[in-house]
């Protein structure tokens, strides 16, 4: 009888022990995250007005942490274009922490060419509903690629220095065979490399102050050959570089956070001779294939205000330009001035009201002005 | 071939310099005095708004901490201190 009593008394403790073991946190963890946005776009192109609801866009992200050194990340992109659903793989890469200073990434990853694409483009992070000129589709800067990267960070005195060096398949030159108007542009993502040459690149970033409020970065990206092996474009090279800066700080006298971001991109692609099917008289042509783009953005949020509504409001402005090569069929000189009022519903959910004025210079004609008004809601999940 | 040597040279020398520079122990002490809370406030606001510790549980913070360390190029020490703080304050 006594024994039974003892057993009965001990039984719950035994159970507790089993339970404690059951709930021991595992090193392995799987997280599904993502972001999406939706909204209304209104355009006025030299007097022609249109408006559309946009943004059935959803980007699920999968994070799989195998242990404290090994993590896999991937992002899918679902987007409606026309009435068709486009699915894209934004990135999918493995990351392994070798030691305090070296981490390796392999797979398809966002390239640290400047900071916009790697750090600032998701709709819940980007203060505007569109990208600055020169980024994204038909942009002059690479956003992601397939390859291998080594990166890390280390303190130097009170400063922090970070680096990333990578080798990837590299870009492919658009020869104009498919789209004559785009001859000379670079196509940045190559699932299958078109030649033996790989692109190499890297970024070095310095946060000089101990409070990490300021960072400057410099990036280069070089591909010795962007043409198809054996083609007349074999041997055309491309050298790109970028400079970026960021300053984010809560400043007490102005009772809020100042957020400054900027990036300059430069692209120089080797000389090549292209066919011009649209102009029989000249048949072939060439040009100095040099492009540049930059943006500068300033934001202020009265985060220290006692007013619940005011402290969630953010005022932002951005200027961006894109200059594409004279003599190419995609030559252009565009600039865009943007203003926005954002209302933050939480740290990762925002309503953005943006106004953009884009001016495109057209050789021998009047400028084309596009005014756009976007009202968007973005959320990180 | 020359390219490959160049790539290898860069790949080897950058971490090499990293390790060399990180040897400046004396100067490091200042940065090392920072608390996890301070590092969180200074670093996690640089790209997006700062998430509050209560936004995730301990296990999630471990994963996010590793993800952010790599994406945002934080130092190992910053990651460790920030994650410890987030786990203690959530």
């Amino acid at each position: 009888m006594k024994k039974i009593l003892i057993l009965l008394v001990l039984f719950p403790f035994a159970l507790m022990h089993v339970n404690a073991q059951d709930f021991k946190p595992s090193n392995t963890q799987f997280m599904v995250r993502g972001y999406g946005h939706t909204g209304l776009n209104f355009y006025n192109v030299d007097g022609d007005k249109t408006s559309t609801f946009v943004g059935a866009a959803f980007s699920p992200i999968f994070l799989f942490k195998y242990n404290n050194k090994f993590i896999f990340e991937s992002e899918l992109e679902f987007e409606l274009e026309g009435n068709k659903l486009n699915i894209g793989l934004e990135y999918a890469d493995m990351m392994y922490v070798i030691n305090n200073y070296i981490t390796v990434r392999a797979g398809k990853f966002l390239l640290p060419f400047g900071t916009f694409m790697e750090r600032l483009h998701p709709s819940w992070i980007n203060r505007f509903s569109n990208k600055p000129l020169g980024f994204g589709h038909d942009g002059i800067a690479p956003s992601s690629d397939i390859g291998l990267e080594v990166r890390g960070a280390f303190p130097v005195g009170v400063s922090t220095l970070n680096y990333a060096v990578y080798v990837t398949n590299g870009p492919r030159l658009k020869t104009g065979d498919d789209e004559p108007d785009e001859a000379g542009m670079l196509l940045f993502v190559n699932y299958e490399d078109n030649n033996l040459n790989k692109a190499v690149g890297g970024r070095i970033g310095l946060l000089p102050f101990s409070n990490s409020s300021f960072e400057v970065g410099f990036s280069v990206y070089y591909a010795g050959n962007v043409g198809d092996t054996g083609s007349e474009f074999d041997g055309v090279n491309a050298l790109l570089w970028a400079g970026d800066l960021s300053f984010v700080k809560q400043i007490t006298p102005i009772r809020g956070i100042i957020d400054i971001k900027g990036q300059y991109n430069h692209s120089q692609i080797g000389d090549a001779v292209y066919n011009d099917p649209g102009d029989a008289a000249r048949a072939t042509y060439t040009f100095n294939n040099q492009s540049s783009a930059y943006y500068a953005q300033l934001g202020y949020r009265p985060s220290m205000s006692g007013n619940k509504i005011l402290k969630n409001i953010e005022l932002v402005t951005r200027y961006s330009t894109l200059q594409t090569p004279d003599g190419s069929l995609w030559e252009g000189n565009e600039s865009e001035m943007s203003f926005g009022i954002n209302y933050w519903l939480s740290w990762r959910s925002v309503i953005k009201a943006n106004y953009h004025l884009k001016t495109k210079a057209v050789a021998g004609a009047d400028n084309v002005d596009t005014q756009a008004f976007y009202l968007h809601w973005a959320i990180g999940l | 071939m020359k390219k490959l040597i160049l790539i290898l040279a860069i790949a080897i020398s950058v971490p090499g310099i990293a390790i060399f520079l990180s040897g400046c122990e004396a100067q490091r002490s200042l940065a090392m005095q920072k608390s996890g809370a301070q590092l969180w406030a200074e670093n996690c606001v640089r790209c997006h708004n700062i998430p509050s510790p209560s936004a995730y549980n301990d296990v999630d913070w471990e994963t996010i901490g590793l993800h952010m360390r790599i994406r945002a190029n934080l130092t190992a020490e910053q990651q460790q201190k920030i994650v410890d703080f987030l786990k203690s304050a959530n």
Side-chain angles (χ1 to χ4, degrees):
Chain A
M1 192 59 206
K2 243 193 199 164
K3 264 188 194 156
I4 290 172
L5 260 179
I6 291 171
L7 273 178
L8 273 177
V9 171
L10 286 181
F11 187 64
F13 290 101
L15 263 188
M16 266 168 68
H17 182 67
V18 171
N19 276 346
Q21 278 197 338
D22 280 353
F23 292 112
K24 199 171 151 193
S26 155
N27 266 334
T28 306
Q29 208 225 341
F30 189 66
M31 261 180 106
V32 181
R33 292 198 40 260
Y35 58 91
H37 72 264
T38 183
L40 179 68
N41 289 2
F42 177 84
Y43 297 99
N44 181 343
V45 186
D46 271 349
D48 287 340
K49 294 177 185 163
T50 49
S51 79
T52 348
F53 278 108
V54 291
F58 170 54
S59 311
I61 294 174
F62 304 93
L63 295 177
F64 178 73
K65 181 168 76 81
Y66 182 74
N67 59 33
N68 292 333
K69 290 181 177 300
F70 186 86
I71 181 167
F72 174 82
E73 60 167 5
S74 86
E75 178 183 333
L76 292 172
E77 241 179 1
F78 293 90
E79 211 166 11
L80 279 179
E81 216 175 84
N83 279 328
K84 270 201 280 179
L85 177 66
N86 281 344
I87 302 179
L89 181 70
E90 175 101 351
Y91 57 74
D93 57 282
M94 278 148 312
M95 303 179 264
Y96 185 76
V97 177
I98 294 185
N99 62 30
N100 282 356
Y101 313 107
I102 307 173
T103 297
V104 184
R105 294 202 296 170
K108 184 178 182 203
F109 47 83
L110 294 171
L111 290 178
F113 181 77
T115 48
F116 186 80
M117 286 315 292
E118 192 191 37
R119 302 177 173 184
L120 306 170
H121 88 277
S123 55
W124 64 277
I125 298 181
N126 188 359
R127 295 325 199 228
F128 284 97
S129 304
N130 65 1
K131 298 186 174 80
L133 296 174
F135 292 92
H137 192 65
D138 289 349
I140 61 162
S143 50
S144 64
D145 203 352
I146 303 168
L148 190 72
E149 183 203 58
V150 176
R151 64 163 50 203
F154 47 91
V156 184
V158 295
S159 314
T160 310
L161 201 62
N162 60 67
Y163 71 91
V165 188
Y166 52 86
V167 188
T168 62
N169 279 342
R172 176 191 295 237
L173 185 71
K174 291 191 181 179
T175 59
D177 289 348
D178 300 329
E179 294 155 304
D181 285 357
E182 298 191 348
M185 280 188 189
L186 290 180
L187 185 69
F188 283 104
V189 176
N190 276 317
Y191 290 101
E192 230 174 284
D193 205 352
N194 61 333
N195 54 40
L196 284 177
N197 191 271
K198 301 284 168 261
V200 288
R203 176 179 178 275
I204 190 131
L206 175 69
L207 293 91
F209 308 125
S210 67
N211 64 14
S212 300
S213 57
F214 181 62
E215 178 172 9
V216 273
F218 181 74
S219 312
V220 281
Y221 178 87
Y222 177 75
N225 185 7
V226 292
D228 289 358
T229 304
S231 76
E232 67 216 86
F233 300 99
D234 200 349
V236 174
N237 62 12
L239 174 66
L240 281 68
W241 61 268
D244 60 79
L245 64 83
S246 162
F247 175 79
V248 182
K249 196 168 184 337
Q250 179 156 293
I251 298 173
T252 312
I254 55 168
R255 309 199 56 74
I257 295 177
I258 287 284
D259 186 333
I260 298 172
K261 298 263 159 56
Q263 181 171 335
Y264 176 86
N265 307 311
H266 188 93
S267 155
Q268 178 74 57
I269 299 163
D271 291 340
V273 177
Y274 304 93
N275 295 317
D276 189 352
D279 186 346
R282 64 169 181 172
T284 61
Y285 67 105
T286 186
F287 54 90
N288 177 15
N289 199 343
Q290 181 177 308
S291 310
S292 63
Y294 73 83
Y295 83 91
Q297 178 178 301
L298 168 70
Y300 168 70
R301 178 171 170 187
S303 53
M304 295 168 81
S305 161
N307 185 302
K308 265 192 189 154
I309 294 188
L310 205 60
K311 70 191 232 192
N312 292 321
I313 289 179
E314 184 182 43
L315 302 174
V316 274
T317 175
R318 184 184 74 194
Y319 179 74
S320 68
T321 69
L322 169 63
Q323 235 162 358
T324 44
D326 285 348
S328 70
L329 297 182
W330 43 291
E331 82 173 54
N333 189 345
E334 287 180 308
S335 64
E336 186 180 65
M337 191 71 221
S338 311
F339 300 97
I341 299 179
N342 298 333
Y343 187 79
W344 289 94
L345 303 163
S346 76
W347 74 279
R348 54 187 169 163
S349 175
V350 58
I351 292 172
K352 307 180 211 179
N354 305 160
Y355 169 80
H356 305 275
L357 176 63
K358 188 159 97 176
T359 307
K360 187 174 183 164
V362 183
D366 285 346
N367 289 350
V368 177
D369 284 342
T370 305
Q371 291 180 66
F373 179 75
Y374 298 146
L375 187 64
H376 280 214
W377 174 55
I379 185 165
L381 309 168
Chain B
M1 190 58 212
K2 260 205 261 161
K3 269 296 142 52
L4 200 72
I5 295 174
L6 183 78
I7 296 166
L8 278 176
I10 296 174
I12 294 167
S13 63
V14 171
I17 295 168
I19 292 162
F20 169 75
L21 285 174
S22 61
C24 315
E25 289 293 334
Q27 293 192 324
R28 284 182 64 190
S29 60
L30 213 143
M32 283 175 80
Q33 285 160 12
K34 294 213 170 191
S35 68
Q38 198 176 354
L39 290 169
W40 160 77
E42 289 171 354
N43 283 283
C44 305
V45 70
R46 276 161 40 204
C47 302
H48 44 67
N49 291 316
I50 193 161
S52 100
S54 62
Y56 295 92
N57 66 24
D58 287 8
V59 182
D60 285 346
W61 278 129
E62 288 280 349
T63 305
I64 293 162
L66 184 58
H67 191 213
M68 284 303 113
R69 164 177 169 182
I70 300 171
R71 180 66 72 93
N73 270 333
L74 303 174
T75 64
E77 187 193 336
Q78 286 169 338
Q79 175 207 6
Q80 195 54 53
K81 282 188 172 176
I82 294 171
V83 169
D84 286 348
F85 160 72
L86 290 165
K87 284 171 29 177
S88 70
N90 63 357

